[in-house]
Amino acid sequence: MVVQALSLLLAQLNQYIRQSDGGGVSNIAVWGNVAQLDRPEISTDLDSHLVLTLVNLEEEQTLKNGNTFTRDGASVNYHNPSLHLNLLLLFTANYRNYETALKRLSQVISFFQGKRHFTPNNSPGVSGAAAWPDEFSLALDLLSLSFEEINHLWGSLGGRQLPFIAYRGRLVTVSDKRVLEGGGRIREVSVIGKDRSV
């Protein structure tokens, strides 16, 4: 589901950039690991692009206690609860021209200001929309990092800082409804106890 979510974001962002630039522009936003920009065999594919990097995954703790069973007619199937993830996303403008880099970052900010919530239904042109789960929803929030957090982030990514913006994508749901065990529904309860009559 993570790959599908990022693909949806990139498709929508590229469509917006093409419209902003007046069409004719190939995919400006691509995904890649900005920590590998110093490797020539990888960096050439990322030159002059907006690079989307998944920096971290977090579990949404508030939704941890979900349903652990589903009813199927007269039977009950038990499974692990769904896992809800927050994606920490980094959009890096990998351009030699600083003005172009800032222009691309401005387009990212404008796009996500205008559309923060993504589902297959509100995202035209999504491939295989019928295969998406009904509950798929991704909402993006801008992250305002402190200088110390920026230093740690780019230090862990290997060094030189490029123009960037960070977002938190909330609630990508991962759900594998693998049945752990099953059984019948409880239909009656018998209480056996001592007679307490006086």
Side-chain angles (χ1 to χ4, degrees), residues 59-76:
E59 182 179 7
E60 180 61 51
Q61 296 290 331
T62 58
L63 298 174
K64 194 166 182 160
N65 297 325
N67 278 343
T68 58
F69 65 91
T70 53
R71 293 186 187 112
D72 183 19
S75 65
V76 177

Side-chain angles (χ1 to χ4, degrees), residues 65-126:
N65 297 325
N67 278 343
T68 58
F69 65 91
T70 53
R71 293 186 187 112
D72 183 19
S75 65
V76 177
N77 297 319
Y78 295 92
H79 50 80
N80 288 326
S82 297
L83 181 64
H84 302 280
L85 298 175
N86 292 327
L87 313 176
L88 275 76
L89 306 173
L90 188 69
F91 290 88
T92 306
N94 188 24
Y95 290 88
R96 294 186 192 281
N97 184 313
Y98 192 66
E99 182 181 353
T100 304
L102 295 181
K103 175 187 172 188
R104 293 300 183 205
L105 279 185
S106 296
Q107 289 174 320
V108 172
I109 294 167
S110 297
F111 173 65
F112 288 124
Q113 185 279 326
K115 183 176 182 180
R116 292 183 51 239
H117 187 247
F118 295 86
T119 66
N121 294 332
N122 75 3
S123 303
V126 173

Side-chain angles (χ1 to χ4, degrees), residues 16-30:
Y16 175 81
I17 291 172
R18 274 193 294 277
Q19 290 171 350
S20 296
D21 289 351
V25 180
S26 62
N27 287 344
I28 293 295
V30 297

Side-chain angles (χ1 to χ4, degrees), residues 3 14 38 56-57 75 82 86 96 119 134 146 164 173 176:
V3 171
N14 279 314
D38 293 335
N56 196 12
L57 292 170
S75 65
S82 297
N86 292 327
R96 294 186 192 281
T119 66
D134 293 336
S146 68
F164 76 98
T173 303
D176 181 10

